[in-house]
Amino acid sequence: MRYQLVYLIIFSVTFLVTTLVIPWVKALGVRYKLLDFPDNRKSKYHIPKVRIGGLAFFIGFITSIFLLLIFSYFNNNIILDNNFLFLIVIISAGFFGIGFTDDMFSLSPIWRLFLQYFLATFICIKGLKIEFLDLSILKSSLNPIYIPNFLSIILTSTWIVGIINCINWIDGLDGLAAGCSLIMFITLFLISYSKSQFTVSIISLIFSAICMGFLRFNFKPAKILMGDGGSYLLGFSLAYLTILSGSDPIKGLDLRVPTLILFYPLIDMVAVIVNRIKNKTLPIYPDKSHFHHRILKAVNNEVLTVSILYLITIFPCIIVLSIY
């Protein structure tokens, strides 16, 4: 079976499963009253919505991985690192579990942060970490910088936790986080495909299909929200996929890949943290200083706000694609 056919089948199945499961997830959320209610950070017109849409993400992800393993078993041309894939599935399940538990029971921010760092550190110890940095973009003659193991674990785990919360923080308007994630996953697929990174490209394509299927129900007016379970799963996937797609075995990590692909959520997080520190509040507690809050206040149109932020996400992705 050719790779192109595998891509097509995996994408189609993932999209269909996600789309078909969402109504069931919504009914489950309504039945058990797992709803997102208005608060002082939401519009007065905000209508309570089911907040466990991330469950559909996880079901779509697991289904596609299972199908991929079946293809690999019956076709020797499909080469997968099963140990790596198993580790990714387990850690993905862990991050989804943290978010999903918070969706149901409202964990404290401190507990969420502790559990996130625990899982991120665990996967770093298992080998997924930033060991070299490619600085040739500054000067072609510069050699890669080696990062000592201890610092590598701290850097990588902080990156993973940071991106998870970046995606969670931009999930403030209908279709915003899912749409921006879709753009970023498509970019990751194109880069990893051009570099013949099959496992990275197929996982990127899987999440592209998940986001596309979810957007049908999440774009304004949203019928369901991804919740922390969904945003944590997307955030973790973006964090490690940007590391893998941007890394070269000899040169190390090209910083242009993660920083340009994740440009919008990164600058949003930095701006918010600076603003909260300036106002003498803890960065982990929410407020209305995100870019989507500020743009919405200026244009007074949610769809226009989301469209503007899509464009802000697309432009850096086009730049990084032009490099590769």
Side-chain angles (χ1 to χ4, degrees):
M1 184 180 292
R2 295 181 177 179
Y3 280 158
Q4 288 82 356
L5 184 56
V6 174
Y7 285 130
L8 178 60
I9 294 174
I10 293 293
F11 180 87
S12 301
V13 170
T14 307
F15 177 82
L16 286 173
V17 169
T18 305
T19 303
L20 293 173
V21 164
I22 287 174
W24 172 78
V25 171
K26 182 183 176 184
L28 189 69
V30 171
R31 179 178 178 181
Y32 292 101
K33 296 181 174 58
L34 299 172
L35 305 174
D36 180 71
F37 290 96
D39 59 25
N40 61 354
R41 296 192 311 125
K42 299 182 176 71
S43 167
K44 63 181 179 179
Y45 303 109
H46 179 84
I47 299 171
K49 303 179 185 76
V50 171
R51 64 173 184 263
I52 57 168
L55 180 59
F57 290 19
F58 188 68
I59 292 172
F61 174 63
I62 293 299
T63 301
S64 57
I65 294 296
F66 181 70
L67 182 60
L68 183 61
L69 290 173
I70 292 175
F71 285 157
S72 176
Y73 181 81
F74 288 104
N75 192 326
N76 294 329
N77 292 325
I78 300 176
I79 301 174
L80 291 173
D81 184 343
N82 290 336
N83 291 331
F84 168 75
L85 209 55
F86 178 75
L87 178 64
I88 288 299
V89 169
I90 293 299
I91 302 301
S92 295
F95 279 115
F96 166 73
I98 295 169
F100 192 69
T101 302
D102 183 55
D103 290 331
M104 292 191 296
F105 304 112
S106 295
L107 298 175
S108 75
I110 301 297
W111 263 109
R112 293 201 305 268
L113 194 63
F114 169 78
L115 292 171
Q116 289 169 8
Y117 261 106
F118 176 81
L119 281 180
T121 303
F122 178 79
I123 197 171
C124 291
I125 292 172
K126 288 295 183 179
L128 180 65
K129 56 190 175 185
I130 304 168
E131 297 180 284
F132 293 90
L133 292 179
D134 179 8
L135 299 181
S136 61
I137 55 173
L138 301 176
K139 189 177 181 181
S140 58
S141 60
L142 287 177
N143 293 322
I145 291 183
Y146 170 73
I147 304 174
N149 186 59
F150 179 70
L151 290 178
S152 174
I153 291 174
I154 294 176
L155 174 64
T156 311
S157 60
T158 299
W159 171 258
I160 291 171
V161 172
I163 299 307
I164 286 171
N165 287 286
C166 272
I167 302 304
N168 181 251
W169 283 10
I170 68 170
D171 185 28
L173 298 177
D174 291 351
L176 180 55
C180 290
S181 295
L182 173 61
I183 295 165
M184 293 184 279
F185 280 120
I186 290 174
T187 306
L188 283 166
F189 167 72
L190 293 173
I191 291 173
S192 53
Y193 181 81
S194 70
K195 296 172 71 174
S196 300
Q197 298 174 319
F198 176 70
T199 303
V200 176
S201 63
I202 197 70
I203 295 176
S204 300
L205 193 66
I206 286 168
F207 279 102
S208 298
I210 288 171
C211 291
M212 191 175 293
F214 183 69
L215 266 176
R216 180 181 172 189
F217 300 88
N218 183 244
F219 200 78
K220 188 175 179 65
K223 301 175 180 65
I224 189 171
L225 305 177
M226 68 173 68
D228 285 355
S231 64
Y232 285 14
L233 182 57
L234 294 183
F236 170 63
S237 302
L238 286 167
Y240 75 81
L241 289 172
T242 50
I243 292 173
L244 295 175
S245 64
S247 294
D248 180 271
I250 299 174
K251 295 181 179 179
L253 177 63
D254 183 347
L255 291 174
R256 292 174 296 182
V257 174
T259 53
L260 286 173
I261 292 176
L262 291 159
F263 178 76
Y264 159 51
L266 282 172
I267 61 169
D268 179 73
M269 171 170 270
V270 171
V272 168
I273 290 176
V274 169
N275 184 73
R276 290 175 185 176
I277 292 175
K278 182 180 178 182
N279 293 329
K280 298 180 180 180
T281 59
L282 290 176
I284 60 175
Y285 290 104
D287 59 19
K288 296 186 72 172
S289 62
H290 292 281
F291 286 161
H292 58 265
H293 289 130
R294 297 181 181 184
I295 297 173
L296 180 59
K297 184 178 180 180
V299 302
N300 196 32
N301 185 303
E302 189 168 329
V303 173
L304 178 57
T305 299
V306 171
S307 300
I308 291 170
L309 292 169
Y310 283 175
L311 290 174
I312 292 173
T313 304
I314 288 171
F315 287 143
C317 287
I318 292 174
I319 293 172
V320 76
L321 286 174
S322 68
I323 297 170
Y324 284 88

